[in-house]
């Protein structure tokens, strides 16, 4: 099977996605203070060269998604993409902050990045969003970001038909839990792979056992350990 990207999970909601053509995305960079990120991957200097991103995507302003965005942008020279008011609040140099809103899209090398709805909060800076990354040829990654299940997930499926979902399922007092995430997949999506995120970082969040219990017998579930990667 031909693969179109490599997805590496750094823990919590932080992903590095590298396309088969070398386009690199860093999503929701919470790295240095992330308790589950492997020590070797906490060193932000690696973003100067070896792991230099093409673009940094930030779903919302909460520190567990945005803490290292400005520093990685400074080290790498990569632009930060996100919600318009949030990007404006960062005070980045001209051309290094690219703001948009739900329904907007950007072409980043060969990948089209769409901003879609997420049900959460974000302060300072507007509203939270999810991301749909279209690599072409029906190869589509949907990052739900922090969210609760919502009916317009049906439209995300109808319009984009994601083949891989990076699914928030941490539960606790913050976001949807694994059972609700499983319901969202069942009701709205038909992916080839489901990669859980936002779990196991802090004691109040879901565990691996919670996730496996919510997806019994589902061989589409890809449970990564922080630092692991998966070709898709």
């Amino acid at each position: 099977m031909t693969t179109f990207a490599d997805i590496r999970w750094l823990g919590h909601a932080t992903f590095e996605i590298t396309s088969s053509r070398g386009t690199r995305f860093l999503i929701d960079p919470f790295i240095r203070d992330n308790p589950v990120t492997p020590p070797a991957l906490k060193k932000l200097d690696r973003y100067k060269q070896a792991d230099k991103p093409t673009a940094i995507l930030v779903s919302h302003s909460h520190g567990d998604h945005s803490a290292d965005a400005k520093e990685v942008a400074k080290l790498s020279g990569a632009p930060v993409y996100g919600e318009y008011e949030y990007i404006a609040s960062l005070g980045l140099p001209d051309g290094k902050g690219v703001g948009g809103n739900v329904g907007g899209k950007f072409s980043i090398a060969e990948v089209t990045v769409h901003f879609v709805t997420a049900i959460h909060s974000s302060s300072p800076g507007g509203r939270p969003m999810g991301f749909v990354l279209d690599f072409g040829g029906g190869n589509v990654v949907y990052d739900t970001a922090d969210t609760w299940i919502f009916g317009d997930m049906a439209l995300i499926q109808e319009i984009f038909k994601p083949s891989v979902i990076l699914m928030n399922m941490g539960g606790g007092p913050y976001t949807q839990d694994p059972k609700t995430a499983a319901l969202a997949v069942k009701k709205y999506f038909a992916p080839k792979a489901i990669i859980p995120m936002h779990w196991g970082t802090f004691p109040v969040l879901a565990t691996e056992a919670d996730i496996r219990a919510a997806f019994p017998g589902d061989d589409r579930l890809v449970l990564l350990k922080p630092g692991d990667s998966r070709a898709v």
Side-chain angles (χ1 to χ4, degrees):
M1 181 179 70
T2 301
T3 61
F4 66 90
D6 183 82
I7 298 176
R8 178 159 65 172
W9 185 49
L10 273 62
H12 206 59
T14 305
F15 287 93
E16 296 171 353
I17 302 179
T18 305
S19 80
S20 58
R21 292 172 56 178
T23 302
R24 301 179 65 91
F25 296 91
L26 174 62
I27 303 179
D28 282 352
F30 168 50
I31 301 168
R32 287 176 294 187
D33 293 329
N34 189 328
V36 299
T37 300
L41 297 178
K42 288 178 179 281
K43 300 173 182 178
L44 298 189
D45 279 356
R46 65 191 179 86
Y47 290 114
K48 289 182 178 179
Q49 293 182 345
D51 294 325
K52 183 175 180 179
T54 307
I56 302 162
L57 308 181
V58 180
S59 65
H60 64 291
S61 65
H62 293 165
D64 61 332
H65 293 257
S66 67
D68 296 304
K70 285 186 70 173
E71 184 63 20
V72 174
K74 178 181 177 181
L75 290 169
S76 67
V80 182
Y81 289 74
E83 193 273 343
Y84 184 86
E85 283 80 11
Y86 166 69
I87 292 296
S89 76
L90 294 178
L92 295 166
D94 289 348
K96 295 304 179 183
V98 185
N101 217 315
V102 170
K105 64 181 179 181
F106 297 91
S107 294
I108 301 173
E110 82 280 15
V111 183
T112 302
V113 178
H114 301 265
F115 291 174
V116 296
T117 298
I119 305 298
H120 195 57
S121 63
S122 181
S123 180
R127 59 167 298 155
M129 298 186 300
F131 301 113
V132 174
L133 284 67
D134 188 342
F135 293 81
N139 299 312
V140 178
V141 176
Y142 168 37
D143 184 323
T144 69
D146 282 9
T147 196
W148 164 251
I149 189 174
F150 55 96
D152 281 358
M153 284 180 169
L155 294 176
I156 293 173
Q157 170 63 22
E158 181 178 347
I159 296 168
F160 302 112
K161 298 176 176 60
S163 51
V164 178
I165 300 180
L166 312 180
M167 178 65 82
N168 160 36
M169 54 182 78
Y174 304 114
T175 66
Q176 67 186 8
D177 60 18
K179 288 183 179 179
T180 307
L183 176 63
V185 173
K186 180 179 179 180
K187 283 181 66 69
Y188 299 122
F189 298 109
K192 297 177 181 177
I194 306 158
I195 301 178
M197 66 168 173
H198 209 279
W199 64 275
T201 322
F202 304 107
V204 296
L205 299 181
T207 65
E208 179 176 338
D210 296 327
I211 292 170
R212 291 193 182 281
F215 290 84
D218 193 334
D219 59 8
R220 299 172 300 173
L221 186 70
V222 179
L223 263 166
L224 299 176
K225 301 293 185 184
D228 285 354
S229 62
R230 173 69 175 257
V232 295

